Each structure stands twice: as structure tokens, then as C-alpha cells.
């Protein structure tokens, strides 16, 4: 269980987690508070951003507490190793993509390294622990064969992987290197009757371009609400950065059309609403409110709150888990909205 945070400390955590918020928030904090914030930031996947901001403040201006200084040194060493791991993963991802291209298998890397490069001004703010490759379902067999030929072995059950359209591959010489092959970024079969985000849908959203803001934000929304059920802040930080990447009314219109096409209007309204309220981002809330609410959206917004997300691993974790599980059932039971093709 994480160290508990007072409401004022939760606001500090959110400011540390926001890549574009000022580092000055860390001035004057007690060592005990900083240690609790560091533990929460590590759990929520936003530690690299907090460590960067503390470096900007300077160790000389932080509390001269031995336990805090030891922890900072330890976390900085781990962050350096995580950066190296990300670079190694990127190398293997690029190698597999070249092998797929040589065989004529259309594919694209999604999430981690693409988010880091496209959504964050500081690439090191967004480390990643695997490489996600998306292909058309018809290409899964050839793509799996190719990844195996690149020195990886399947680490997930084959039958279950086919059902989920998610195959986990581990490097034979280093099992910490994980490649995930996807036929669809929506893995829950109960949800897939309503929403789908695959290779063809992303091509349609990009409309001849690559990794457009609308496509990246659509992926971030599905990642937050369709895969992990809001289990850490990093998911909403990706969404926050995705909203900031929308530079024009045309980008916003493309996003909303993508939501209708892929069936993620419920997810978009829910994720943008909670992200906007967590980080004080009115544009995210305004975009969420452009989706006409029905009963499922109203219920989802009631279930998924900032407190629910911040307290995933606190004394209130059972309440948080129940809310997130209930949200998953809302997703499964929600009716598809008509989309004029």
C-alpha cells in the first residue's frame, strides 16, 4: 500500500505529474512529504517527470535529509537503467519492423515510444516497458512467425492470445524484453462488439498521414479505458498530452469523428472528463461534453473520478477497484451508437 496523501499533497502529485507544469511546486516541501510523493509517483508511472522537476529545483534547495537523498540517488539510478531498457526495446522494435516490411506485412508501433516522441517534449518523461506492434488480423500468423525468427519466443497461451488478439513475445536471451503483437487494441471480447481499434481504423483516422494527433489521442483513450481500467496516472497524462497536441478545430473534429467510427464515444467522454478534472484542463472537459450523454456515459462519469484513480493503491483501494470493475460492466453492456459509413 502506498503512503497516504492529504488532499493538498494529491494536488502536488498531479502538478509533479504534469509534464508542462512548473517545477516550483517542489520548493519548501518536507522530506517526509517528498518521500511519500516519490512513492506515489513511482507507482503511477510519472516518476521520471517528478525526478526531472526535482533536478531543476536542485538538490541544494531540497531538504538535507539522509533518507531522502538516498532514495533520490536510488531512483535516479533506476531511471537511468529504465532509459537504457527503453532504448534497447526500441532497437528490437525497429529490427522487427524492418523484418515485417521485408515480408510485406503492414504494421505500426503504437503507444510507448510513439507517445514519448510525439506527445512529450522531454522523451525521457515517458519510458516504456514493452513494444506494441499493431497489424491487421489477417497478418497475425505471418507477423508472429516473423517475430519468432527475430529471436523471440511466445510467452502467452496461444489460444487465449488468439481470442484477445494479443500475443506476448519474450526475447530468448533476455526475458525482460517484451514485444506485444496486437490484431486489435481492444482485447476484451465483450467490449469488442461495440468498439474496435485496429490497423485499418487507425489508417482511416490518419487519412494518409502517420500518427496524427487524433490517432494518438484515440489510442491513449483506448489504452486508459479499454485496457488497464485507469490503474495509474500515467494513462491520463498520455491523454492530457494528447489533448494538448490537438492544434486546430480540424484536429478536434477528426478526433470526434474517430470516436464515432471506432465506437469509443463512451470511453472518450469518460477519459477526457476525468483527465480534465484531475489536471484542471478545461479543453479536455469541453471535448468530453461534445459527446451527447446517455445513461451509460452519465454512469461512467459518476464511477470514474479523480479520487478513484488517485487512490488505486491506498486505504480506499477496494472502493476504487469496485468502481473500476463496475465501469468495465458499463462498457460491456453499453449499446453501440449508429455511425453513418
Amino acid at each position: 500500500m502506498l503512503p497516504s496523501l492529504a488532499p493538498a499533497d494529491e494536488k502536488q502529485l498531479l502538478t509533479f505529474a504534469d509534464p508542462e507544469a512548473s517545477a516550483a511546486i517542489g520548493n519548501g516541501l518536507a522530506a517526509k512529504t517528498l518521500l511519500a510523493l516519490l512513492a506515489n509517483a513511482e507507482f503511477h508511472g510519472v516518476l521520471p517527470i517528478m525526478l526531472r522537476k526535482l533536478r531543476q529545483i536542485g538538490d541544494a534547495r531540497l531538504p538535507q535529509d539522509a533518507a531522502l537523498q538516498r532514495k533520490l540517488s536510488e531512483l535516479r539510478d533506476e531511471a537511468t537503467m529504465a532509459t537504457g531498457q527503453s532504448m534497447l526495446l526500441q532497437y528490437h522494435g525497429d529490427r522487427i519492423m524492418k523484418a515485417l516490411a521485408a515480408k510485406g506485412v503492414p504494421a505500426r508501433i503504437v503507444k510507448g515510444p510513439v507517445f514519448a516522441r510525439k506527445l512529450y517534449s522531454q522523451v525521457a518523461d515517458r519510458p516504456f516497458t514493452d513494444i506494441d506492434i499493431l497489424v491487421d488480423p489477417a497478418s497475425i500468423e505471418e507477423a508472429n512467425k516473423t517475430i519468432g525468427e527475430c529471436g523471440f519466443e511466445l510467452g502467452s497461451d496461444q489460444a487465449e492470445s488468439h481470442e484477445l488478439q494479443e500475443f506476448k513475445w519474450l526475447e530468448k536471451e533476455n526475458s525482460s524484453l517484451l514485444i506485444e503483437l496486437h490484431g486489435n487494441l481492444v482485447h476484451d471480447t465483450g467490449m469488442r462488439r461495440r468498439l474496435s481499434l485496429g490497423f485499418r481504423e487507425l489508417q482511416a483516422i490518419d487519412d494518409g498521414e502517420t500518427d496524427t494527433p487524433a490517432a494518438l489521442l484515440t489510442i491513449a483513450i483506448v489504452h486508459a479505458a479499454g485496457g488497464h481500467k485507469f490503474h495509474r496516472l500515467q494513462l491520463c497524462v498520455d491523454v492530457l498530452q494528447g489533448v494538448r497536441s490537438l492544434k486546430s478545430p480540424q484536429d478536434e473534429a477528426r478526433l470526434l469523428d474517430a470516436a464515432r467510427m471506432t465506437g469509443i464515444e463512451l470511453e472518450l467522454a469518460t477519459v477526457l472528463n476525468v483527465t480534465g478534472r484531475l489536471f484542471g484542463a478545461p479543453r479536455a472537459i469541453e471535448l468530453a461534453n461534445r459527446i451527447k450523454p446517455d445513461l451509460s456515459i452519465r454512469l461512467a462519469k459518476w464511477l470514474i473520478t479523480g479520487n478513484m484513480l488517485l487512490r488505486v493503491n491506498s486505504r480506499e483501494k477496494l472502493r476504487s477497484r469496485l468502481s473500476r470493475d463496475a465501469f468495465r460492466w458499463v462498457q460491456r453492456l453499453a449499446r453501440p451508437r449508429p455511425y453513418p459509413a
Side-chain angles (χ1 to χ4, degrees):
M1 187 180 297
L2 291 170
S4 60
L5 297 177
D9 296 332
E10 289 179 339
K11 290 182 180 178
Q12 302 265 19
L13 175 64
L14 290 167
T15 305
F16 274 121
D18 183 347
E20 298 186 15
S22 170
I25 189 70
N27 286 324
L29 293 177
K32 183 179 179 181
T33 301
L34 280 170
L35 284 166
L37 288 168
L38 285 166
N40 277 268
E42 184 175 22
F43 173 83
H44 281 287
V46 296
L47 181 63
I49 306 171
M50 182 173 179
L51 289 176
R52 170 173 61 79
K53 292 182 178 183
L54 292 178
R55 281 196 302 272
Q56 291 172 356
I57 293 169
D59 285 357
R61 299 174 66 183
L62 296 177
Q64 298 306 298
D65 176 84
L68 174 62
Q69 295 300 326
R70 282 196 304 272
K71 190 63 177 177
L72 280 172
S73 178
E74 172 190 319
L75 291 173
R76 285 166 177 164
D77 287 344
E78 292 175 0
T80 300
M81 293 178 63
T83 299
Q85 179 82 346
S86 293
M87 293 173 66
L88 188 56
L89 281 164
Q90 183 70 72
Y91 163 76
H92 284 286
D94 291 344
R95 188 166 61 88
I96 290 169
M97 289 295 288
K98 288 177 182 177
L100 290 169
K103 291 189 174 185
V105 178
R108 62 192 290 168
I109 292 177
V110 295
K111 297 188 284 191
V114 183
F115 286 169
R117 187 177 70 254
K118 292 281 190 177
L119 298 181
Y120 291 76
S121 60
Q122 302 286 331
V123 175
D125 281 354
R126 182 52 168 88
F128 43 92
T129 56
D130 59 15
I131 294 290
D132 296 277
I133 298 175
L134 180 65
V135 299
D136 189 270
S139 301
I140 281 182
E141 184 176 348
E142 187 62 32
N144 274 324
K145 181 181 176 183
T146 303
I147 295 174
E149 291 169 351
C150 288
F152 286 74
E153 57 188 2
L154 189 63
S156 55
D157 178 77
Q158 193 162 15
E160 183 181 20
S161 295
H162 275 286
E163 181 181 10
L164 299 177
Q165 294 197 31
E166 179 188 38
F167 297 80
K168 298 179 183 291
W169 289 87
L170 303 174
E171 213 269 337
K172 291 178 180 178
E173 303 300 324
N174 183 356
S175 61
S176 71
L177 298 174
L178 172 64
I179 303 292
E180 294 192 353
L181 179 71
H182 306 268
N184 197 303
L185 295 180
V186 178
H187 301 135
D188 188 294
T189 55
M191 289 164 52
R192 212 182 294 148
R193 66 178 180 81
R194 176 176 59 85
L195 62 152
S196 174
L197 186 59
F199 188 85
R200 294 179 184 177
E201 285 92 346
L202 283 177
Q203 279 189 313
I205 297 168
D206 278 337
D207 192 24
E209 302 177 64
T210 303
D211 295 328
T212 59
L216 294 177
L217 184 48
T218 300
I219 294 168
I221 289 167
V222 169
H223 190 212
H228 294 287
K229 291 192 300 185
F230 302 97
H231 75 299
R232 59 181 185 171
L233 267 178
Q234 185 193 62
L235 300 167
C236 286
V237 177
D238 287 341
V239 171
L240 177 67
Q241 294 299 95
V243 170
R244 288 169 173 164
S245 77
L246 301 174
K247 301 301 184 186
S248 67
Q250 291 74 24
D251 285 343
E252 295 178 357
R254 185 183 288 195
L255 170 71
L256 295 171
D257 190 57
R260 289 187 288 270
M261 179 186 71
T262 57
I264 67 160
E265 290 167 296
L266 164 63
E267 286 70 24
L268 182 147
T270 306
V271 177
L272 292 188
N273 179 69
V274 71
T275 299
R277 296 186 186 284
L278 275 169
F279 291 97
R283 189 178 179 208
I285 297 172
E286 191 273 328
L287 283 169
N289 290 339
R290 290 199 209 173
I291 302 296
K292 184 178 179 181
D294 56 16
L295 178 60
S296 61
I297 289 176
R298 291 190 184 95
L299 183 55
K301 287 182 177 180
W302 178 74
L303 289 167
I304 303 301
T305 66
N307 285 341
M308 176 281 305
L309 198 154
L310 286 167
R311 297 165 190 177
V312 164
N313 196 25
S314 71
R315 291 191 182 95
E316 297 180 37
K317 64 181 180 181
L318 179 58
R319 183 183 300 177
S320 172
R321 177 63 183 269
L322 290 173
S323 292
R324 291 180 294 121
D325 286 349
F327 171 67
R328 179 65 87 231
W329 279 108
V330 171
Q331 290 178 287
R332 289 169 178 161
L333 296 174
R335 293 182 177 181
R337 294 188 176 201
Y339 175 72

